[in-house]
Amino acid sequence: MLDRRDILGWLTEGRECRLEELWARADAVRRERVGEAVHLRGLIEISNHCRRQCGYCGLRAGNRQLPRYRMSDQEILDCVRQAEAFGYGTVVLQAGEDEALTQERVGDLVRRIKADAPLAVTLSLGERTPEELACWRRAGADRYLLRFETSNRELYERIHPPPPGGGGTAVHRFELLRVLRELGYEVGSGVMIGIPGQTWADLTEDILAFERLDLDMIGVGPYIAHPATPLASDATVAPAPAGEALESSQVPADELTTYKVIALARLACPRANIPSTTALATLNLAQGRETGLCRGANVVMPNLTPARYREMYEIYPAKACVRETSDDCHRCMSGRIRSIGRVVGAGRGDSPNRLARQESDSR
Ligand code: SAM
Ligand code: SF4
């Protein structure tokens, strides 16, 4: 187990020789607890409409320059068939908080996918009511991804205003993660790294929260500024004044810090599934994904979104893989996995963390 001081020490460690030790420990724990398989999750970005105004995200409602799209059920089911043909064990349906993705429509869609294909279904549709989440679970959804973004409440509230009109979902994402767990979902969460105003002490608390929440999946990636968002011009990025404790200085949104967080997430939650994310690949297209996989990660998410929509799912600029087709992504990811001597996972790749919890609950 890692304590606060260990985590802060590793996060602020600059010596390469010491960091080699962190990478080796994370890789060894990954091998021992979740094995050599790298699981493929087919990502389908089903709508870029969003009612929210998150200060960091290019899909926010206030970004009027962004052309909007919604995939039809048939288009989504075609992508699911492609996932099956590629041998993926999971599809991830992700979107903004789109009011057209009603309880009924998503419920029907999940039922149709589960009737058609032996795939796990992960939803990542933002903050939805407990009733909606319960309905989708009954329809057969297996997993839900909802990053808490930062455990610093004041920072969270600054970058993540409540839904318009208050709505039924104006609760902290921590509360929704608890609801998801009670409903029996495999629960995924995570944070952005280097949000303006985020300190090393905040990031330390984030990693402690991964452990406290007993997460089944942990997705972390660097914050990448989008010029059409308020946070891109945020003035709080200034480093701490000289003499101020290191722990209260700004976290950089860089590759090295992302690897440290992946490695520490692996040590904090040894049996969780941890993706090497697209945001990391955006910072280092040549080697980012592979390096993440060698420093604690065990999942990648090849994109299945039809090429005509990809550029419009612009969370941040210059996102990796927007010009590729699903075939390109499939070939590229499989090749990258083999190039580092790992194997492409077979089956659904359920979280060993959840399986272990279920076993201990049934004793
Ligand atoms: N709307 C859903 C939600 O908010 O959970 C799912 C889609 S949202 C685009 C998925 C994730 O993208 C967010 O949880 C956030 O961490 C990440 N994201 C958004 N803007 C980003 C940015 N500028 N840089 C890096 N990641 C970003
Ligand atoms: Fe919408 Fe999610 Fe982007 Fe927030 S992060 S604006 S909820 S898509």
Side-chain angles (χ1 to χ4, degrees):
M1 244 180 47
L2 295 162
D3 66 17
R4 204 170 252 104
R5 234 179 37 173
D6 291 331
I7 296 173
L8 185 63
W10 281 121
L11 285 175
T12 53
E13 178 61 64
R15 291 165 295 176
E16 270 182 39
C17 57
R18 289 279 291 132
L19 287 171
E20 287 303 330
E21 190 192 317
L22 177 62
W23 314 143
R25 272 175 63 187
D27 199 38
V29 171
R30 187 271 309 154
R31 189 175 310 114
E32 189 185 315
R33 300 305 188 93
V34 296
E36 295 294 7
V38 176
H39 299 289
L40 300 171
R41 317 301 198 198
L43 175 66
I44 314 173
E45 295 155 334
I46 64 175
S47 162
N48 73 348
H49 287 260
C50 190
R51 66 188 188 129
R52 302 297 291 263
Q53 296 287 9
C54 301
Y56 43 87
C57 177
L59 306 192
R60 67 199 304 274
N63 182 5
R64 307 253 175 250
Q65 296 149 26
L66 183 72
R68 305 281 171 168
Y69 72 90
R70 270 184 197 113
M71 287 174 64
S72 68
D73 285 1
Q74 195 50 55
E75 286 174 317
I76 297 168
L77 292 169
D78 289 345
C79 291
V80 172
R81 250 166 242 131
Q82 199 161 23
E84 212 188 344
F86 286 149
Y88 301 165
T90 300
V91 284
V92 181
L93 308 188
Q94 196 184 72
E97 275 184 40
D98 180 358
E99 280 153 317
L101 291 170
T102 59
Q103 178 170 317
E104 293 68 32
R105 181 171 172 219
V106 175
D108 285 345
L109 192 56
V110 171
R111 261 186 296 276
R112 287 174 73 183
I113 295 173
K114 298 297 284 189
D116 265 17
L119 301 178
V121 173
T122 304
L123 299 177
S124 178
L125 305 176
E127 294 162 39
R128 308 296 302 238
T129 63
E131 293 71 31
E132 289 168 325
L133 299 171
C135 164
W136 301 338
R137 176 78 186 125
R138 284 194 303 275
D142 302 274
R143 309 177 186 146
Y144 205 96
L145 292 176
L146 184 71
R147 290 185 178 177
F148 61 80
E149 315 294 2
T150 170
S151 55
N152 176 331
R153 188 111 201 178
E154 189 264 319
L155 176 60
Y156 177 79
E157 280 167 13
R158 180 144 48 85
I159 65 174
H160 188 79
T169 59
V171 291
H172 194 281
R173 287 184 168 200
F174 280 142
E175 177 55 23
L176 281 177
L177 293 173
R178 191 189 56 74
V179 171
L180 290 166
R181 169 65 43 81
E182 279 173 7
L183 289 170
Y185 281 96
E186 211 175 272
V187 178
S189 193
V191 296
M192 285 180 289
I193 295 158
I195 306 166
Q198 183 185 47
T199 66
W200 293 113
D202 295 333
L203 200 51
T204 301
E205 294 306 318
D206 294 345
I207 292 165
L208 290 168
F210 297 163
E211 191 176 347
R212 196 170 55 249
L213 293 165
D214 191 23
L215 294 177
D216 303 316
M217 307 174 275
I218 302 170
V220 299
Y223 160 72
I224 300 171
H226 189 302
T229 61
L231 206 60
S233 49
D234 196 298
T236 57
V237 209
E244 199 148 303
L246 180 62
E247 65 182 70
S248 49
S249 58
Q250 170 69 42
V251 170
D254 64 6
E255 216 184 317
L256 180 65
T257 312
T258 306
Y259 296 136
K260 289 177 181 174
V261 178
I262 290 177
L264 291 165
R266 173 59 65 205
L267 298 183
C269 302
R271 290 178 296 221
N273 280 333
I274 302 181
S276 191
T277 56
T278 305
L280 182 54
T282 300
L283 292 194
N284 179 351
L285 198 52
Q287 284 293 319
R289 278 195 214 277
E290 290 88 328
T291 310
L293 289 172
C294 294
R295 295 178 176 177
N298 70 323
V299 166
V300 290
M301 297 170 71
N303 199 326
L304 286 172
T305 312
R308 61 189 172 283
Y309 297 132
R310 285 192 188 196
E311 277 191 58
M312 289 186 262
Y313 202 82
E314 196 193 47
I315 305 172
Y316 45 77
K319 198 168 134 218
C321 311
V322 286
R323 300 230 160 70
E324 281 72 11
T325 64
S326 303
D327 279 297
D328 296 333
C329 285
H330 175 60
R331 261 194 307 276
C332 167
M333 295 282 193
S334 310
R336 285 174 190 265
I337 292 166
R338 283 191 282 271
S339 77
I340 54 168
R342 301 268 282 279
V343 290
V344 174
R348 295 167 32 126
D350 288 322
S351 168
N353 192 57
R354 176 163 189 247
L355 298 174
R357 194 174 48 248
Q358 277 175 332
E359 254 171 49
S360 89
D361 287 353
S362 67
R363 259 188 238 127

